[in-house]
Amino acid sequence: MAERFLAEGAAVHVSDIDASLLEGLAATSATAVDATDAAAVEDWLGPHTRIDIMAHAVGFVHHGTVEDTTDQDWRKSQSICLDSAFHVTRAAVPRMKANGGAVILIASLASSLKGYAFRAAYSAAKGGVIGLMKACAADYLSDGIRFNAICPGVVDTPSLRQRIADLADEMGSVEAAEAWFLERQPAGRFATADEIAGTGVWLASEDGKFVTGQTINVDGGISI
């Protein structure tokens, strides 16, 4: 998403918990930030008095039923997926009120939209992201701040490849684990990160300026 906004000419300030993943990105600034830390998020945004677009793409996928989910697993899921969205949104809004803008939260189909096996903690957290988005869309409509959530299908990312590798022993092979994920894709393939990012650019653009409070499914037909 940062790459797509850069291509559109935006001044992009990007962060990740691992700054090495941002090397080579021609952003205005690239900083290591732990988005689960409210103070760290506020410090990161501290120098910026105006923000026009805030995109939040933070996640952790715990694999398991509620019986497989420890208190630690549950809290980690909520902290990374939902608390971070709250921290980023709360810090961004005061810097957007004067001029309006767009907040884009990456949620998931595995949320209030659709139930998936072995995604209890993750679905609860991402469902919370959608609830946060809708409440904020109502609260800040008069300030010209639009809030929307993108709900991707399964996206081919390093996170997905790690989850496939983690399941490979249990399922007998990497191929079997990959096939398990592909079974949920009516389109017969995973989404690319760029396909998700393009929706984010549209939501932030003039073409998307009448869209707020919406969940946008980019899922290759899963939700049909």
Side-chain angles (χ1 to χ4, degrees):
M1 194 173 289
E3 291 171 344
R4 288 294 296 266
F5 278 117
L6 284 167
E8 294 291 331
V12 175
H13 300 269
V14 64
S15 71
D16 194 281
I17 196 168
D18 181 356
S20 68
L21 299 176
L22 306 176
E23 292 176 2
L25 190 64
T28 303
S29 69
T31 311
V33 177
D34 180 356
T36 67
D37 183 337
V41 170
E42 185 61 43
D43 286 346
W44 174 49
L45 295 181
H48 307 291
T49 57
R50 173 175 174 173
I51 295 172
D52 298 301
I53 302 161
M54 172 59 76
H56 172 271
V58 179
F60 161 72
V61 182
H62 176 261
H63 181 86
T65 67
V66 290
E67 293 177 288
D68 306 320
T69 305
T70 65
D71 287 355
Q72 183 179 10
D73 295 330
W74 179 265
R75 281 308 318 150
K76 181 177 179 180
S77 299
Q78 306 309 308
S79 178
I80 294 176
C81 296
L82 181 53
D83 292 359
S84 67
F86 166 64
H87 296 152
V88 167
T89 300
R90 184 175 60 180
V93 162
R95 295 168 168 87
M96 303 180 83
K97 277 186 170 180
N99 298 286
V103 176
I104 302 152
L105 305 177
I106 303 298
S108 175
L109 281 180
S111 59
S112 56
L113 302 178
K114 183 175 175 62
Y116 281 104
F118 309 112
R119 292 292 180 268
Y122 178 73
S123 294
K126 287 297 188 178
V129 171
I130 292 174
L132 173 67
M133 175 275 292
K134 285 187 172 291
C136 288
D139 284 336
Y140 298 104
L141 184 61
S142 62
D143 294 296
I145 308 175
R146 298 183 296 106
F147 289 80
N148 293 287
I150 299 174
C151 296
V154 182
V155 186
D156 198 348
T157 63
S159 171
L160 173 65
R161 291 297 160 182
Q162 183 59 55
R163 279 179 276 144
I164 288 172
D166 291 343
L167 279 176
D169 289 342
E170 179 182 332
M171 305 198 74
S173 68
V174 169
E175 291 75 17
E178 182 171 345
W180 185 81
F181 281 96
L182 275 172
E183 285 173 3
R184 296 182 286 177
Q185 298 295 301
R189 68 173 180 87
F190 302 131
T192 67
D194 191 61
E195 287 170 324
I196 309 305
T199 303
V201 171
W202 173 75
L203 284 170
S205 74
E206 286 295 301
D207 291 333
K209 65 183 179 182
F210 206 58
V211 181
T212 191
Q214 302 305 305
T215 54
I216 311 296
N217 298 344
V218 187
D219 64 5
I222 297 175
S223 56
I224 292 174

